[in-house]
Amino acid sequence: MRTGYKVALYGVALAVVFGGTWAAGAAAGPLTKPETPVTHDEHSAEPAKVPPGLSVSDNGYTLRLHENESLGFHISGPGGKPVTKFDVEHEKRLHLIVVRRDGSGFRHVHPEMTPDGMWSVPLELTEAGSYRVFADFKPTDGPKTTLGADLQVAGDYRPRHHAENRTFTVDGYEVTLDGDLDAGAASTVTIGITRDGKPVTDLQNYLGAKGHLVALRSADLAYLHVHPEQGDEVKFAVEVPTAGTYRLFLDFQHENEVRTAEFTLTTREEGGHGH
């Protein structure tokens, strides 16, 4: 990684960028007497639940990035000390996702941890911009957690626009996504892969599955990581929280090499079809 990038950690304020459907509204109780003023305590409200990846801290854990040559970080626990015990999920103790805030430059990597809880991974970010770092993990005896923090790469930043697409070509493989995203409901999307016009039917398991799909809400990068359903076809049950546009990244392995396909989808309008 280039030296000189500055790490900036952003809090839960990002959760309000896209809308309020993640939070339950306050409900006021009836007045017993017309002349009795309503106090704050007479209202009840559910606390807002921050979507995965939008907060640097959740469930008592905090993602702390380090400035060094490689991407370094640690996870501090409820007592403030680095966490050193993590459950293995999909063959790794921690999954790290890095993507620029315009939805480009996606990376899915797996850092190494030292016995004192310090993680690092060689990662060269050559394009300027603001990047989001997601740490997806489950502490031993703790809840599954996804934390997010930002880092900055200096330079001439040129944001990219991603047109809606269901087909992506990478290294001669044509990857197609079939299915629609429905806000607030489970949707099934199916992946088809061909090479030289012929279906690829011998995908290898990568981290214990035929593929990994990460969905990011374009407006604020709320995070969703899903794995395929059982069966011969590569299908994913995806439940996006709100209407809007999403970037989807599929990792798949064939002939001992992992490749990534990228898609941009907008949720289907109620009673209609996808855009």
Side-chain angles (χ1 to χ4, degrees), residues 107-126:
R107 314 280 185 87
H108 178 179
V109 295
H110 301 100
E112 296 293 332
M113 188 188 75
T114 59
D116 60 354
M118 299 295 112
W119 295 86
S120 64
V121 61
L123 188 66
E124 184 178 3
L125 301 176
T126 58

Side-chain angles (χ1 to χ4, degrees), residues 87-225:
D87 290 349
V88 173
E89 293 194 310
H90 305 289
E91 302 183 358
K92 298 293 181 180
R93 291 181 294 176
L94 186 145
H95 297 263
L96 197 75
I97 306 296
V98 181
V99 63
R100 202 166 68 166
R101 278 202 164 271
D102 63 358
S104 61
F106 175 89
R107 314 280 185 87
H108 178 179
V109 295
H110 301 100
E112 296 293 332
M113 188 188 75
T114 59
D116 60 354
M118 299 295 112
W119 295 86
S120 64
V121 61
L123 188 66
E124 184 178 3
L125 301 176
T126 58
E127 295 191 23
S130 178
Y131 288 79
R132 191 67 173 169
V133 178
F134 300 95
D136 185 343
F137 60 93
K138 184 183 182 303
T140 300
D141 298 325
K144 183 170 175 57
T145 302
T146 302
L147 303 178
D150 279 7
L151 61 82
Q152 314 299 331
V153 176
D156 183 13
Y157 171 53
R158 298 177 182 272
R160 295 180 183 175
H161 170 72
H162 303 282
E164 189 151 339
N165 72 299
R166 292 176 173 272
T167 301
F168 189 85
T169 300
V170 53
D171 296 341
Y173 293 82
E174 185 174 270
V175 187
T176 302
L177 184 150
D178 184 43
D180 292 304
L181 300 180
D182 295 314
S187 310
T188 299
V189 297
T190 303
I191 302 296
I193 302 176
T194 62
R195 186 171 63 169
D196 299 327
K198 298 178 181 180
V200 176
T201 59
D202 57 343
L203 290 177
Q204 297 167 299
N205 276 358
Y206 173 57
L207 302 176
K210 288 292 179 66
H212 294 258
L213 188 69
V214 169
L216 299 175
R217 191 167 56 186
S218 294
D220 59 1
L221 300 188
Y223 172 95
L224 177 66
H225 188 183

